[in-house]
Amino acid sequence: MDPGTAIAIGQVSAKVLSIIWKYYSDVKDAKGNIHSLANELQDLHDVTLKVQGLLQNQPADVNMTTSVTLARTLEQTLLDIKDLEHKLDPGTGDKLMKRVGRRALKWPFAKKDVDEWIAKLQRFKSTLSLALNADQTSLLVDMKKLQITSEHERLLGKLPMASEASFNSYNQQYESRCMADTRIELLQHLQDWGTRHSQPIFWLSGMAGTGKSTISRTLAGIFDERNLLGGSFFFSRSSSETNNAARFVGTLANQLTSISPKLRDCICEAISAHSDTLRQGLRNQWEAFISGPLSHANFGRRPTVNFVIDALDECASENDIRLLLQLFVEVQAIDNVDLGIFITSRPEVAIRLGFKEMPEIIHYDLDLRDIPREIVDHDISVYLRQELRSISLEQGLDDWPSEADLQALVLKTDCLFIYAATACRFIRDKSWDPVERLSSVLGNRSASEGSTTQLDDMYTQVLRMSLTEGRSAREITMLCDRFQLVVGSIVALFDELSTFTLAHLLSTSIRSVEACLGSLHSVLNIPQEVHSPIRLLHPSFRDFLLDITRCGEKRFFKEETYIHEKLVTSCLEVISTSLTRNICQLPIPGSPVHEVNLETLDTRLPKHVQYACNHWVEHFVRTNQESTIRLCCGTGVVDRFFKEKFLNWLEVMSVMGRMTQAVSMIAAMSQKTEAMILDHNVAEGPQSLNLLLEDAKRFIFSHRGIIEGFPLQVYTSALVFSPGNSIIRKIYSHSFPAWLHRPPIVPKDWDNCVQTLYNPDKITTSIAFSPDGKFLACGLHTNGVDLWDLATGALHSTLGTAGYYVHNRSVSVAFSHNGFLATSSNSSIVRVLDPVTGQCLHEKDFLSNLQERPEFRRMHILERIRLKVKLAFLPNGDLVTSFGHGEVFIWDRDRDEVSELLHSEYSSWILWDCSVKGKLLLECREKRSASSDYLVYDSTTGTSMPLNVTGDGGQCSAAAVASNKYAAIAFSVGGFVLLDLTTGIQNNYCSLASLGWITALAFSPDNDQLGIGYDEGVVESLELHTGQRRIVGNCGWSSEVNAMTFSPDCKTIATLGSFQGLVHLWRDTTVSKTLLEEGGPFRGDRQFKYSISLFSPKLDLIAFFTPDYEDGSVQIYNTANASLTLELIGHTGTVKKLAFSADGRQLAAACKDRSMSIWNIQPEDNVKTTECEHLIPDIGHISALIFSPDGQQLALACNRTELQFWNPIKGALVDRFPAHGDVEDSIVYSSTGALIAFKSVDVKVFDVMSGDLLHSFEANNCRHVAFAPDSILFAYRKDDTTIMIHNLETDHSVSMLKTEDLNGPLALSPDNKLLARAAFDQFMVADVDTARITLRFHTPYQWEISQLEFTEDGGSLETDHGRYRIGQPCDHPASATSDARSCWRISDEWIDDEWILEGDRKMLWLPPRYRPKRGAHHDGFFVIFTKSGRIITMDFSKEPVCTDEEKKGLENWMPPVARDVYITKGDLDWDRL
């Protein structure tokens, strides 16, 4: 509704009010009437303004309920107010006022008139108010509906949808449907079935060209008209959207939302609740977004719904076809809806087997070949008659064709509708005489026989007429060459491309492509619009062209491998010329991928570029050996791609959401080149390419997660943290970010960990390889099972019943030799699943068996779920399981019987392992005894063998049994035993030094290796035939190894870590260098034991020492290159405390054996072992030590009661005096070194020269004190909330600050005006005189501030978290800013997943193994002590960073606010903080 009338009323009423008030001021009489009318008009004016606001803010698609009444009232109100204006306005010109005078102005209304006007205005006001209230209520309701609709659209937009898949999509609009009087009986039969489903599935099969898709489109249209259609999906092998099932469920779910609002609500709720399911397998998607909403929606009455699925055989994956058929079977369980699924396909083997496995009662099958020929001929005759009649009318032909010709053509079709359609299109070509063309078709005689003979002859005739008829030999050659290039590419493409896109892909002109296709409308659907896709009229044309036995004329035929070779070259040329760094112009290196919208993607990446990136490898793997060699060696296009555009390509694949596909592509290339090298004596090119591909695979697998979420990190984090010898890193070393002046030193080579599998929403509790080694099953805390595709590292599907999270729930998984998956948990239920379909094949509840055991009955339910479950298949297909209650059950699935292992001597059993051949390793507890025996039970013979395990190793921590003759048992005190079951010989092995106790053991399937996992995360391998032990790798931050298993080919070890259920896959090929790393504190078994580090005052050195280990040396690392420069030895005990001198060239250590050592530090280029300069034994217990500011004294507190002063250069005691109390762990010198302070019972200040106690201050819980630079003021913490500032010259308290608990370092400014104090990761600054807080700031680090001091000018605070500029004191607490030369920081690990930030901008992502446990940074220079036990250093640009995109978009770019800005009053944004 137009708000113009309301606006006009407001303007006129305001004008009238002005006139009335003029009367009020100039007319003496009738003031009461004037005032009453003015008030009433003012009220109406106010109401009108509200109406105006309502109308102006009304959404365009919201209709107000009272709009008609409101419009009429507004119009009448406007007319009446204009009338009132006319009667009141005497004219306001100056000439009139001068002529009549203001006092001559008279009020024109009597009281009666005023009352009438007031009544009229009140009526208007009342009507408008009522309408306003009604419309406001209606508007709120409608806006709520709009919000819900908008939210629904947002959620539905998340569904993966194929826009071309539905029967009424834009691309399907010109596809044929059944003509009138054709397929009458069949369509009626299908309509009857679709109205009431006696069987929920209808399968219509038929050979190519029999009209299946036409029937599907017709039926879908009928169902749609009758509101019986739930959705349709037309598979097509020529479209990347519809040649697979990735978008199948999303497309149907989106179409289902139109059935009813309630179903739409249910689907949207499911998307909101299960958004992670959008990336999971078909079964999870189907259950979440199809069967779930259909089952739960409240329809009122039971509706009838149909799905139409066409050309199921054109779905590329047979596994997906099999799974879809299984899901279709399960629709019978949906009682809420009468759901039917209509399927068409060719009678392919996979589909026939799928229907054969279904119960016959739920599906109806009809083969079009079973329809009598006379019915089919009749339908084709009707079609031909109508089409040819249309041609005759267009061409002005009378009595054409003859009935005889028509029937002859019907016979030629051989029941193939595609033949009839192709013939009609061929005859219709306006460039030719239809009579001659019909004669040509009828006169063509086939020289061969076969099921496709007639169709092949038709295609040959079309091509002859288009390419050779009436042409010279030269023209024929030219046309055929162009045909092979253009049409050959069309039939070999993996997606449908438009004329425009195809021309750009082939680097030819649009005119050339159009000229080639112009005469091929008989076999191709060629739209007039150059941006619409070209389509094959039928897939049989592709089969014809690519089969030399069917395409009789060789000039039309081209080897498919040659076509693919040409397409590889074309695709890589497009990539070479089109891809650039940051092609979508993301603003910063840490920009997430979701910032790229679809419009930007299509603009920056045209369709031909997208096709080239997505499919070039698919063409490559379809080339033969000669073509592959030419691509790798001859043209060099593949080599050039990897050396110039590989990172650009990964960025683009990330932006397009195709990283899984990128992994598959590189893996497929590697597999092809490796096979060539093994099978043939090939040139050096493929061999070098294979090495590059292997490195590229490691690069992608290692960095896939960060590249997938943040595309530009492929140039930063991925490159920076790849090993130094990585081929990709070396090739693209020039692409390192310019703002990273010194990258961290990284390992030289890739370690043995080839993949890390992690689902952030779930925790893994067990692992098992599939028999073919392609998948890894991970049991989850939620009772489900994640199935990972190891070829791509992607989550393939989640199987089983998803439950709720239960802490310490144990879920076990196991594969049978024929590929079935068993899962069990502490809930006592064991299920056997088909991992492809997710169907539960068998289920057994062992609760009744467990309840017979008294241990189980006594156990609380929370205790039961904490017990570990064991599960394994026996060779005969039976299942052995243990639920941790001291029992072992064997389930005979064929007879559905459960037996329990029993022995008269033992009361309980622990199942540790089961070999492939059915040997069980059991720990047995004797009755009334705490001791354990071990035995191996052979399930195939029913016999058991006791194991004679000697020695007292403590409790068993892990055990495993091999299929041949070995068993291994590890113990909690460390080490393990290896037993030869044939000889009884026991070999004892110790754990690798300091790696903790063994938590997992596993034998390889070939019985050649024993895998060993430690609680420190280390993975070890023992070669059984040689006895050689080697470190495979280290899980590092994932803590102990909870489980491990070998792949069926014995080449891969999978380990399960305790930290968030991380799964690592290791290739046990070489001894891992993880524990011997250059550039970090990795020395053999010591990698995790460095727990304390100390930086020198200049941050150029860092000392590591281990206070909890007797053999711990002190190591000095040079932070400039992160290299070990000195190893300090000569001390006699474990180091407890360290202190650097001010110049960093002396280091003192207090040791646990009451000695003190002093070293002179002279860093060398090579590692040097340095003996201590002075070793002073038996000093006493040293609780604190510190160098004086000039380095000439070393003060220490001995035995907590005495202060000693040593000459560090001579190692001589200079002075000592009593401390007058117990000295705790800190001593502080004044800046001149004349005074010293420490905390005992009270805070005490001494004169260093005389030893006199100058001051003693009462304090409680004080650990930090501070002298002012001039030593006049002294600050100390009196109690948890009070800081005192004392003037040491006058011996008077200057100030007392009340604050929250901040028990950290203190600092006073050079001018004695400011006090800074810190605690953990924050600091505050207060005014000394007023005791008011002037600044408060949280640093971004998760380690505490240990260094705090003012700079000489007092304008900044220097901390080990960086330098912070603080500005001048102000009236209110403000924020500090990092100095412009120190704007780099590390993000909060609990919020941002550990980024290096520049200001607030994410720049460099830190992989888990490089994340800080503690560290320091200064002026862009970082020293990080990582959680995995290494030290890394990085040096960043000292100047603010301006990215390329910022330079492009901002001519006058300035650094962000949080850079080089002094904080003063009013600058603080508390909400942002």
Side-chain angles (χ1 to χ4, degrees):
M1 182 178 174
D2 187 8
T5 306
I7 295 172
I9 293 174
Q11 294 172 344
V12 176
S13 60
K15 183 178 180 181
V16 173
L17 279 170
S18 175
I19 297 172
I20 292 176
W21 289 117
K22 188 180 298 182
Y23 274 105
Y24 187 83
S25 61
D26 294 344
V27 177
K28 290 185 177 181
D29 55 349
K31 286 189 179 290
N33 291 338
I34 297 172
H35 192 273
S36 298
L37 182 61
N39 287 341
E40 202 60 49
L41 186 59
Q42 182 66 52
D43 290 344
L44 178 63
H45 177 78
D46 294 342
V47 172
T48 307
L49 291 179
K50 292 181 181 179
V51 173
Q52 175 185 334
L54 176 67
L55 295 177
Q56 287 178 327
N57 295 321
Q58 172 192 357
D61 47 356
V62 172
N63 294 319
M64 296 195 295
T65 57
T66 61
S67 57
V68 176
T69 303
L70 188 61
R72 291 175 180 173
T73 303
L74 287 173
E75 291 171 0
Q76 187 60 49
T77 302
L78 180 60
L79 291 174
D80 286 346
I81 292 180
K82 284 184 176 180
D83 182 48
L84 178 60
E85 178 191 14
H86 177 72
K87 292 180 178 180
L88 284 174
D89 191 0
T92 56
D94 293 337
K95 293 182 180 179
L96 179 64
M97 290 297 102
K98 290 179 180 179
R99 187 169 65 247
V100 301
R102 293 189 180 274
R103 294 299 179 184
L105 200 62
K106 290 186 178 181
W107 177 243
F109 297 130
K111 187 176 185 308
K112 179 181 178 182
D113 298 329
V114 172
D115 292 340
E116 289 178 356
W117 274 107
I118 289 175
K120 187 182 293 187
L121 295 177
Q122 286 177 342
R123 285 196 303 272
F124 289 150
K125 183 179 69 175
S126 177
T127 304
L128 291 176
S129 296
L130 289 173
L132 180 65
N133 290 336
D135 279 333
Q136 283 179 326
T137 302
S138 173
L139 185 61
L140 288 175
V141 173
D142 288 342
M143 290 187 71
K144 181 64 176 177
K145 291 180 180 178
L146 274 179
Q147 290 175 352
I148 294 174
T149 302
S150 177
E151 176 63 11
H152 282 180
E153 290 176 354
R154 185 187 69 82
L155 290 171
L156 292 174
K158 293 183 176 182
L159 290 172
M161 290 180 286
S163 59
E164 306 172 3
S166 64
F167 85 100
N168 55 357
S169 67
Y170 178 84
N171 295 322
Q172 295 274 351
Q173 61 182 326
Y174 300 117
E175 299 294 338
S176 60
R177 300 191 186 185
C178 295
M179 286 186 173
D181 298 327
T182 63
R183 304 290 197 186
I184 298 173
E185 294 182 8
L186 175 59
L187 289 174
Q188 186 59 52
H189 181 44
L190 293 174
Q191 291 176 58
D192 293 342
W193 167 83
T195 304
R196 185 173 182 181
H197 306 110
S198 55
Q199 293 158 303
I201 300 175
F202 196 118
W203 178 36
L204 181 69
S205 62
M207 301 302 293
T210 53
K212 301 182 297 297
S213 296
T214 302
I215 295 170
S216 295
R217 279 188 292 272
T218 305
L219 185 63
I222 294 171
F223 286 159
D224 190 43
E225 291 173 359
R226 300 182 180 183
N227 295 322
L228 297 175
L229 183 66
S232 59
F233 197 99
F234 282 60
F235 284 99
S236 173
R237 75 175 75 165
S238 61
S239 170
S240 62
E241 280 193 350
T242 55
N243 64 7
N244 60 79
R247 296 174 174 85
F248 179 81
V249 173
T251 302
L252 292 186
N254 185 64
Q255 296 176 43
L256 270 179
T257 59
S258 62
I259 290 181
S260 78
K262 292 182 178 178
L263 182 57
R264 183 184 179 93
D265 292 342
C266 287
I267 291 175
C268 290
E269 288 174 6
I271 297 171
S272 178
H274 307 290
S275 59
D276 59 323
T277 307
L278 295 169
R279 302 183 299 274
Q280 296 178 5
L282 282 173
R283 171 169 291 279
N284 299 56
Q285 293 186 35
W286 179 271
E287 291 174 352
F289 308 128
I290 302 291
S291 61
L294 285 173
S295 300
H296 299 132
N298 183 11
F299 293 106
R301 57 181 298 180
R302 188 169 184 252
T304 298
V305 178
N306 292 281
F307 287 142
V308 176
I309 314 300
D310 182 64
L312 182 60
D313 55 290
E314 296 199 27
C315 178
S317 170
E318 288 192 4
N319 283 337
D320 284 349
I321 292 174
R322 181 182 169 193
L323 176 54
L324 287 175
L325 292 176
Q326 179 59 48
L327 295 175
F328 296 158
V329 170
E330 297 173 11
V331 302
Q332 61 182 326
I334 303 176
D335 297 328
N336 210 21
V337 177
D338 179 17
L339 180 61
I341 300 178
F342 175 75
I343 305 168
T344 71
S345 75
R346 300 184 192 187
E348 303 290 359
V349 174
I351 299 176
R352 285 190 284 109
L353 291 177
F355 278 102
K356 188 176 181 180
E357 294 173 357
M358 291 185 192
E360 291 186 4
I361 195 172
I362 68 169
H363 68 97
Y364 183 92
D365 303 346
L366 177 62
D367 192 330
L368 288 175
R369 292 174 295 183
D370 296 336
I371 298 177
R373 181 176 182 121
E374 56 269 19
I375 295 177
V376 179
D377 284 347
H378 169 268
D379 292 342
I380 292 177
S381 175
V382 171
Y383 171 80
L384 289 173
R385 193 182 304 277
Q386 181 168 332
E387 287 294 307
L388 294 177
R389 182 182 295 118
S390 173
I391 294 172
S392 69
L393 291 174
E394 291 175 1
Q395 299 289 334
L397 301 174
D398 296 329
D399 300 326
W400 180 88
S402 67
E403 187 64 27
D405 286 347
L406 181 64
Q407 294 306 319
L409 187 56
V410 170
L411 290 176
K412 292 280 289 185
T413 63
D414 197 23
C415 295
L416 294 177
F417 275 86
I418 185 58
Y419 184 101
T422 303
C424 289
R425 294 175 71 95
F426 177 70
I427 295 168
R428 187 184 292 274
D429 192 332
K430 294 180 180 180
S431 301
W432 298 86
D433 181 3
V435 177
E436 292 181 0
R437 287 223 156 183
L438 177 57
S439 299
S440 175
V441 172
L442 295 177
N444 185 43
R445 295 291 182 265
S446 175
S448 60
E449 296 181 0
S451 60
T452 63
T453 299
Q454 298 291 348
L455 186 59
D456 295 345
D457 291 343
M458 181 74 254
Y459 286 143
T460 301
Q461 182 73 4
V462 169
L463 296 182
R464 284 175 182 166
M465 297 292 289
S466 301
L467 301 173
T468 66
E469 192 76 18
R471 315 280 188 183
S472 67
R474 181 174 176 273
E475 289 175 331
I476 291 173
T477 300
M478 183 184 69
L479 290 175
C480 288
D481 288 345
R482 189 169 62 183
F483 172 83
Q484 290 172 352
L485 172 65
V486 176
V487 180
S489 297
I490 291 173
V491 298
L493 291 173
F494 296 101
D495 201 357
E496 296 167 342
L497 303 183
S498 67
T499 302
F500 179 88
T501 302
L502 182 62
H504 281 79
L505 179 66
L506 299 178
S507 299
T508 188
S509 66
I510 296 175
R511 187 184 301 275
S512 178
V513 174
E514 289 178 330
C516 178
L517 303 179
S519 58
L520 296 174
H521 286 267
S522 305
V523 290
L524 297 174
N525 186 345
I526 307 167
Q528 293 182 347
E529 170 57 47
V530 296
H531 293 287
S532 297
I534 304 165
R535 287 190 171 84
L536 301 178
L537 282 178
H538 198 268
S540 57
F541 183 58
R542 174 192 293 107
D543 302 335
F544 163 79
L545 275 184
L546 299 179
D547 189 342
I548 187 61
T549 63
R550 293 180 60 184
C551 184
E553 297 197 19
K554 293 186 177 180
R555 54 189 169 185
F556 302 146
F557 172 79
K558 196 72 174 178
E559 280 287 347
E560 186 177 0
T561 58
Y562 177 80
I563 299 174
H564 286 299
E565 180 185 348
K566 288 294 185 183
L567 286 171
V568 171
T569 303
S570 296
C571 289
L572 291 181
E573 288 297 333
V574 167
I575 289 173
S576 177
T577 57
S578 302
L579 298 195
T580 60
R581 182 169 178 160
N582 195 9
I583 194 167
C584 290
Q585 298 180 338
L586 290 167
I588 58 174
S591 295
V593 69
H594 62 72
E595 289 188 5
V596 181
N597 56 44
L598 188 60
E599 182 180 356
T600 301
L601 184 65
D602 290 339
T603 301
R604 306 297 301 178
L605 295 170
K607 295 297 182 185
H608 67 285
V609 179
Q610 293 188 34
Y611 180 89
C613 291
N614 283 325
H615 298 291
W616 74 271
V617 173
E618 290 183 84
H619 293 297
F620 178 86
V621 298
R622 284 165 174 77
T623 59
N624 58 20
Q625 179 178 337
E626 292 76 15
S627 296
T628 303
I629 292 175
R630 278 195 297 270
L631 290 168
C632 297
C633 305
T635 62
V637 291
V638 174
D639 185 66
R640 188 164 65 250
F641 163 80
F642 278 102
K643 291 182 177 179
E644 296 176 3
K645 295 296 177 180
F646 178 64
L647 295 189
N648 300 150
W649 176 71
L650 285 180
E651 176 200 336
V652 168
M653 296 300 283
S654 169
V655 168
M656 294 191 297
R658 297 296 185 91
M659 279 303 295
T660 297
Q661 183 180 342
V663 175
S664 300
M665 291 166 72
I666 298 301
M669 281 194 73
S670 177
Q671 186 176 5
K672 181 177 178 63
T673 56
E674 186 175 354
M676 286 179 55
I677 294 170
L678 293 175
D679 297 341
H680 306 281
N681 183 20
V682 298
E684 186 178 344
Q687 296 183 22
S688 60
L689 175 62
N690 194 58
L691 293 175
L692 179 57
L693 287 169
E694 285 299 317
D695 190 75
K697 275 171 49 179
R698 294 301 304 271
F699 184 87
I700 297 177
F701 273 125
S702 296
H703 307 294
R704 170 185 172 169
I706 187 60
I707 299 174
E708 196 165 25
F710 302 86
L712 298 186
Q713 288 299 302
V714 70
Y715 309 105
T716 52
S717 180
L719 270 185
V720 167
F721 294 108
S722 291
N725 288 337
S726 163
I727 301 174
I728 296 298
R729 177 185 167 114
K730 287 182 176 179
I731 291 173
Y732 292 95
S733 58
H734 62 278
S735 297
F736 271 49
W739 37 263
L740 181 57
H741 290 176
R742 184 189 301 152
I745 292 180
V746 294
K748 287 185 177 179
D749 301 300
W750 296 106
D751 61 17
N752 291 332
C753 180
V754 294
Q755 284 192 61
T756 300
L757 307 178
Y758 174 50
N759 188 336
D761 300 321
K762 300 161 188 173
I763 295 179
T764 301
T765 60
S766 61
I767 51 177
F769 280 100
S770 63
D772 57 7
K774 293 181 178 179
F775 297 95
L776 186 75
C778 298
L780 306 173
H781 266 185
T782 55
N783 255 358
V785 178
D786 275 349
L787 203 61
W788 293 87
D789 185 341
L790 299 183
T792 64
L795 179 62
H796 180 269
S797 59
T798 299
L799 310 176
T801 304
Y804 54 88
Y805 172 87
V806 179
H807 184 61
N808 281 334
R809 179 189 292 278
S810 176
V811 178
S812 183
V813 290
F815 273 101
S816 67
H817 68 278
N818 55 356
F820 292 120
L821 177 66
T823 175
S824 68
S825 71
N826 338 61
S827 61
S828 75
I829 297 176
V830 176
R831 295 183 178 90
V832 179
L833 308 172
D834 183 334
V836 175
T837 66
Q839 180 186 12
C840 182
L841 305 175
H842 303 278
E843 181 173 303
K844 186 69 176 178
D845 192 343
F846 286 78
L847 182 61
S848 59
N849 303 88
L850 292 170
Q851 286 176 335
E852 297 175 3
R853 303 189 64 81
E855 298 93 337
F856 180 83
R857 293 195 300 270
R858 289 194 298 266
M859 212 174 270
H860 189 273
I861 186 170
L862 292 179
E863 294 179 297
R864 296 173 190 170
I865 66 174
R866 295 189 179 99
L867 297 174
K868 287 190 176 182
V869 180
K870 290 287 185 179
L871 180 69
F873 277 97
L874 298 177
N876 62 358
D878 292 349
L879 272 164
V880 58
T881 183
S882 172
F883 295 93
H885 307 292
E887 77 298 321
V888 176
F889 296 116
I890 296 178
W891 174 25
D892 185 330
R893 291 189 295 129
D894 293 335
R895 295 184 292 180
D896 196 23
E897 294 179 356
V898 176
S899 59
E900 183 178 357
L901 291 183
L902 298 173
H903 195 287
S904 59
E905 297 182 10
Y906 303 114
S907 61
S908 65
W909 310 72
I910 297 176
L911 174 63
W912 280 105
D913 193 23
C914 177
S915 73
V916 176
K917 294 185 178 180
K919 292 181 179 179
L920 308 183
L921 179 56
L922 303 166
E923 180 183 357
C924 314
R925 298 282 176 86
E926 297 181 8
K927 296 179 179 179
R928 296 178 298 276
S929 173
S931 62
S932 296
D933 292 335
Y934 300 92
L935 61 84
V936 174
Y937 174 80
D938 191 332
S939 63
T940 59
T941 62
T943 60
S944 59
M945 175 190 298
L947 301 181
N948 184 21
V949 181
T950 60
D952 183 14
Q955 292 185 342
C956 178
S957 60
V961 61
S963 298
N964 56 1
K965 63 176 184 177
Y966 289 113
I969 302 173
F971 299 98
S972 57
V973 297
F976 66 96
V977 298
L978 183 66
L979 298 114
D980 189 322
L981 303 181
T982 58
T983 64
I985 296 175
Q986 172 180 317
N987 293 313
N988 296 322
Y989 291 85
C990 297
S991 299
L992 292 180
S994 304
L995 289 183
W997 49 298
I998 296 170
T999 55
L1001 292 170
F1003 284 98
S1004 62
D1006 60 6
N1007 304 307
D1008 284 342
Q1009 299 179 70
L1010 175 65
I1012 307 164
Y1014 290 86
D1015 70 334
E1016 294 283 5
V1018 174
V1019 181
E1020 181 192 359
S1021 175
L1022 169 65
E1023 290 188 5
L1024 299 176
H1025 61 285
T1026 65
Q1028 180 184 359
R1029 300 175 69 174
R1030 62 183 182 275
I1031 299 296
V1032 176
N1034 196 311
C1035 302
W1037 64 304
S1038 60
S1039 191
E1040 71 179 54
V1041 179
N1042 278 352
M1044 67 190 316
T1045 183
F1046 282 84
S1047 62
D1049 63 1
C1050 306
K1051 294 180 179 179
T1052 303
I1053 304 175
T1055 59
L1056 170 62
S1058 61
F1059 181 80
Q1060 296 185 342
L1062 277 175
V1063 177
H1064 293 83
L1065 298 180
W1066 309 88
R1067 284 279 182 174
D1068 184 17
T1069 55
T1070 59
V1071 178
S1072 174
K1073 296 183 180 179
T1074 303
L1075 301 181
L1076 307 170
E1077 201 59 62
E1078 295 184 6
F1082 292 88
R1083 290 180 60 254
D1085 53 23
R1086 296 292 307 281
Q1087 65 162 340
F1088 292 107
K1089 305 309 177 185
Y1090 292 98
S1091 57
I1092 295 181
S1093 58
L1094 180 69
F1095 292 92
S1096 65
K1098 295 181 180 179
L1099 296 179
D1100 59 338
L1101 301 175
I1102 181 170
F1104 287 99
F1105 66 101
T1106 309
D1108 298 325
Y1109 291 83
E1110 296 297 333
D1111 61 345
S1113 62
V1114 178
Q1115 293 183 323
I1116 305 297
Y1117 280 81
N1118 188 330
T1119 59
N1121 55 19
S1123 63
L1124 176 64
T1125 184
L1126 290 173
E1127 186 165 5
L1128 308 182
I1129 61 174
H1131 53 296
T1132 57
T1134 302
V1135 175
K1136 303 301 292 183
K1137 291 183 181 296
L1138 288 178
F1140 271 107
S1141 62
D1143 61 3
R1145 292 301 173 258
Q1146 282 191 303
L1147 182 71
C1151 298
K1152 192 175 181 179
D1153 65 352
R1154 305 166 69 88
S1155 67
M1156 180 176 69
S1157 301
I1158 302 174
W1159 291 271
N1160 290 329
I1161 307 297
Q1162 298 296 332
E1164 302 287 345
D1165 293 334
N1166 299 317
V1167 179
K1168 179 181 178 182
T1169 301
T1170 302
E1171 291 277 352
C1172 61
E1173 189 75 15
H1174 303 288
L1175 175 62
I1176 303 136
D1178 202 24
I1179 292 179
H1181 172 70
I1182 302 174
S1183 59
L1185 73 164
I1186 185 175
F1187 280 90
S1188 63
D1190 59 6
Q1192 299 301 309
Q1193 277 188 344
L1194 177 63
L1196 53 141
C1198 286
N1199 300 321
R1200 306 178 69 91
T1201 59
E1202 182 181 57
L1203 287 177
Q1204 295 185 5
F1205 296 89
W1206 291 75
N1207 184 323
I1209 299 175
K1210 298 180 179 180
L1213 180 64
V1214 176
D1215 199 0
R1216 61 198 309 168
F1217 49 79
H1220 300 281
D1222 290 341
V1223 181
E1224 297 187 2
D1225 59 356
S1226 63
I1227 302 175
V1228 178
Y1229 268 103
S1230 65
S1231 60
T1232 62
L1235 303 178
I1236 194 169
F1238 60 86
K1239 168 68 172 67
S1240 60
V1241 177
D1242 300 323
V1243 175
K1244 302 183 186 298
V1245 179
F1246 283 84
D1247 185 300
V1248 174
M1249 295 299 294
S1250 65
D1252 294 339
L1253 175 62
L1254 303 179
H1255 305 277
S1256 181
F1257 306 108
E1258 181 182 353
N1260 180 32
N1261 193 26
C1262 175
R1263 294 183 58 192
H1264 296 280
V1265 297
F1267 289 97
D1270 59 7
S1271 302
I1272 295 176
L1273 296 186
F1274 178 73
Y1276 66 94
R1277 187 184 187 94
K1278 183 176 181 181
D1279 54 42
D1280 288 342
T1281 61
T1282 306
I1283 293 178
M1284 302 297 297
I1285 301 176
H1286 199 85
N1287 189 313
L1288 298 180
E1289 289 186 348
T1290 64
D1291 199 19
H1292 288 91
S1293 293
V1294 174
S1295 183
M1296 180 176 67
L1297 282 75
K1298 288 287 186 179
T1299 182
E1300 64 269 27
D1301 186 11
L1302 285 179
N1303 194 6
L1306 302 174
L1308 287 159
S1309 64
D1311 60 4
N1312 291 333
K1313 292 183 177 180
L1314 298 177
L1315 171 73
R1317 61 192 184 281
F1320 196 62
D1321 62 348
Q1322 63 173 306
F1323 62 79
M1324 296 181 183
V1325 176
D1327 187 289
V1328 171
D1329 295 332
T1330 64
R1332 296 186 62 183
I1333 296 172
T1334 61
L1335 183 147
R1336 183 192 306 267
F1337 187 68
H1338 283 265
T1339 71
Y1341 304 103
Q1342 292 301 296
W1343 57 80
E1344 66 182 61
I1345 297 173
S1346 59
Q1347 174 187 340
L1348 182 70
E1349 60 183 8
F1350 281 90
T1351 54
E1352 292 183 3
D1353 62 1
S1356 298
L1357 274 172
E1358 191 76 64
T1359 76
D1360 52 344
H1361 288 200
R1363 178 183 294 176
Y1364 295 91
R1365 186 166 295 183
I1366 59 175
Q1368 300 301 319
C1370 56
D1371 294 338
H1372 301 286
S1375 169
T1377 59
S1378 184
D1379 191 286
R1381 296 181 58 81
S1382 184
C1383 56
W1384 296 90
R1385 61 189 181 92
I1386 300 178
S1387 63
D1388 185 340
E1389 64 175 314
W1390 302 111
I1391 299 175
D1392 294 321
D1393 282 337
E1394 296 296 349
W1395 287 82
I1396 298 289
L1397 302 169
E1398 195 253 354
D1400 292 326
R1401 306 187 302 174
K1402 295 178 179 178
M1403 303 297 282
L1404 179 67
W1405 185 77
L1406 295 175
R1409 68 178 61 182
Y1410 292 97
R1411 292 178 183 171
K1413 182 175 182 180
R1414 61 160 298 157
H1417 99 276
H1418 175 74
D1419 206 15
F1421 178 74
F1422 285 79
V1423 179
I1424 296 175
F1425 181 45
T1426 70
K1427 295 176 181 177
S1428 60
R1430 71 178 67 206
I1431 176 177
I1432 61 171
T1433 62
M1434 291 180 284
D1435 192 12
F1436 293 88
S1437 170
K1438 304 299 185 292
E1439 302 301 326
V1441 176
C1442 181
T1443 66
D1444 292 339
E1445 294 310 313
E1446 289 171 332
K1447 292 176 183 176
K1448 293 177 185 177
L1450 299 172
E1451 293 182 0
N1452 298 316
W1453 183 86
M1454 292 294 290
V1457 172
R1459 296 272 182 82
D1460 192 12
V1461 179
Y1462 286 95
I1463 295 300
T1464 56
K1465 180 178 178 180
D1467 282 340
L1468 181 61
D1469 183 349
W1470 281 104
D1471 291 336
R1472 187 177 182 191
L1473 278 179

